[in-house]
Amino acid sequence: MKEFNIVLAGVGGQGTLLAAEVIGSAAVSDGLDVRVSEIHGMAQRGGAVVSNVRIGEGVLASTVLDGQADVLLGFEPLETVRNLKSASEKTLVIMNTQRIPPAELAVKNAEYPSVEEVLAKIHVFTGKVIVVEAAELARKAGNRLAQNSVMLGALAAVEGFPVKTESLLEALRELVPKKHVEMNLKAFELGRE
């Protein structure tokens, strides 16, 4: 099996780390070789969080090299832009539109860029972009906090993604607190659609 590299980029509190864990767990249950790594700045809400997931035969290193991501799963627009170094013209960017302005914008008295400005920066690297209104879809599922499940659903619909949808759903059932499972499964399906 060819390698499949995913970079998940967001901020603390968005469920980026849980999403990476779900992908890794599902890949293991499918019998795939997988490596997962995480890098986060502040260990609290609002700090940058990046996870790398590498799936493929004999994958040893857990870090996706610059320009080698098959998918950049951006949970937040500015964090998506900050992680474009992992993208190339072959990379599919799946970006959530919910903006979480970093504190540095307020300090610099700067404006948060528009979605159009963010997309223009992404298009410098790749023309393959899917924009997801994850907050709205998660709200429809029952809670805006289920945006990570929406994004996982969108990832599951990507052609060539090697992890089975049922395995992702099973990993969600195992890793999400029981009282939130149904809502997250619904959010996943809305993202996949």
Side-chain angles (χ1 to χ4, degrees), residues 110-152:
E111 297 237 353
Y112 195 105
S114 68
V115 171
E116 292 75 23
E117 291 170 302
V118 169
L119 289 173
K121 289 180 191 268
I122 293 170
H123 284 297
V124 169
F125 288 83
T126 181
K128 299 176 355 184
V129 183
I130 297 172
V131 176
V132 180
E133 300 283 343
E136 179 58 24
L137 293 173
R139 187 193 60 74
K140 284 182 183 176
N143 191 324
R144 289 175 53 106
L145 295 177
Q147 291 179 56
N148 57 346
S149 292
V150 171
M151 297 300 285
L152 282 170

Side-chain angles (χ1 to χ4, degrees), residues 16 35 55 66 70 75 115 121 129 137 143 166 171 190:
T16 308
R35 296 290 177 264
I55 303 167
D66 290 356
D70 293 291
F75 286 68
V115 171
K121 289 180 191 268
V129 183
L137 293 173
N143 191 324
E166 187 49 51
L190 289 171

Side-chain angles (χ1 to χ4, degrees), residues 1-8 23 55 69-74 90-95 128-132 149-165 168 188-193:
M1 175 196 146
K2 176 192 160 303
E3 273 181 27
F4 196 92
N5 297 313
I6 309 155
V7 173
L8 299 89
I23 296 166
I55 303 167
D70 293 291
V71 175
L72 171 54
L73 197 61
K90 74 175 178 87
T91 304
L92 170 63
V93 175
I94 304 174
M95 183 185 76
K128 299 176 355 184
V129 183
I130 297 172
V131 176
V132 180
S149 292
V150 171
M151 297 300 285
L152 282 170
L155 176 64
V158 170
E159 186 177 327
F161 181 60
V163 180
K164 295 177 189 158
T165 298
L168 289 166
F188 180 96
E189 289 304 328
L190 289 171
R192 197 160 69 110
E193 289 171 14

Side-chain angles (χ1 to χ4, degrees), residues 2-193:
K2 176 192 160 303
E3 273 181 27
F4 196 92
N5 297 313
I6 309 155
V7 173
L8 299 89
V11 298
Q14 287 190 294
T16 308
L17 299 177
L18 176 61
E21 186 179 1
V22 167
I23 296 166
S25 179
V28 167
S29 75
D30 282 350
L32 301 170
D33 291 341
V34 63
R35 296 290 177 264
V36 179
S37 70
E38 59 190 56
I39 305 160
H40 36 105
M42 299 179 347
Q44 56 193 344
R45 288 189 181 272
V49 177
V50 179
S51 292
N52 290 219
V53 180
R54 300 189 65 224
I55 303 167
E57 200 169 307
V59 168
L60 298 175
S62 58
T63 305
V64 176
L65 298 176
D66 290 356
Q68 297 299 309
D70 293 291
V71 175
L72 171 54
L73 197 61
F75 286 68
E76 199 281 332
L78 276 184
E79 292 306 320
T80 304
V81 170
R82 286 184 195 178
N83 287 279
L84 283 172
K85 67 181 183 286
S86 65
S88 69
E89 67 282 346
K90 74 175 178 87
T91 304
L92 170 63
V93 175
I94 304 174
M95 183 185 76
N96 180 9
T97 59
Q98 186 193 20
R99 303 178 336 174
I100 302 173
E104 67 194 54
L105 284 183
V107 169
K108 294 178 181 176
N109 200 23
E111 297 237 353
Y112 195 105
S114 68
V115 171
E116 292 75 23
E117 291 170 302
V118 169
L119 289 173
K121 289 180 191 268
I122 293 170
H123 284 297
V124 169
F125 288 83
T126 181
K128 299 176 355 184
V129 183
I130 297 172
V131 176
V132 180
E133 300 283 343
E136 179 58 24
L137 293 173
R139 187 193 60 74
K140 284 182 183 176
N143 191 324
R144 289 175 53 106
L145 295 177
Q147 291 179 56
N148 57 346
S149 292
V150 171
M151 297 300 285
L152 282 170
L155 176 64
V158 170
E159 186 177 327
F161 181 60
V163 180
K164 295 177 189 158
T165 298
E166 187 49 51
S167 300
L168 289 166
L169 292 169
E170 189 56 40
L172 270 174
R173 287 184 194 98
E174 290 172 13
L175 295 169
V176 169
K178 298 289 181 233
K179 64 183 179 178
H180 300 298
V181 167
E182 287 309 312
M183 172 189 57
N184 277 273
L185 295 176
K186 192 181 297 182
F188 180 96
E189 289 304 328
L190 289 171
R192 197 160 69 110
E193 289 171 14

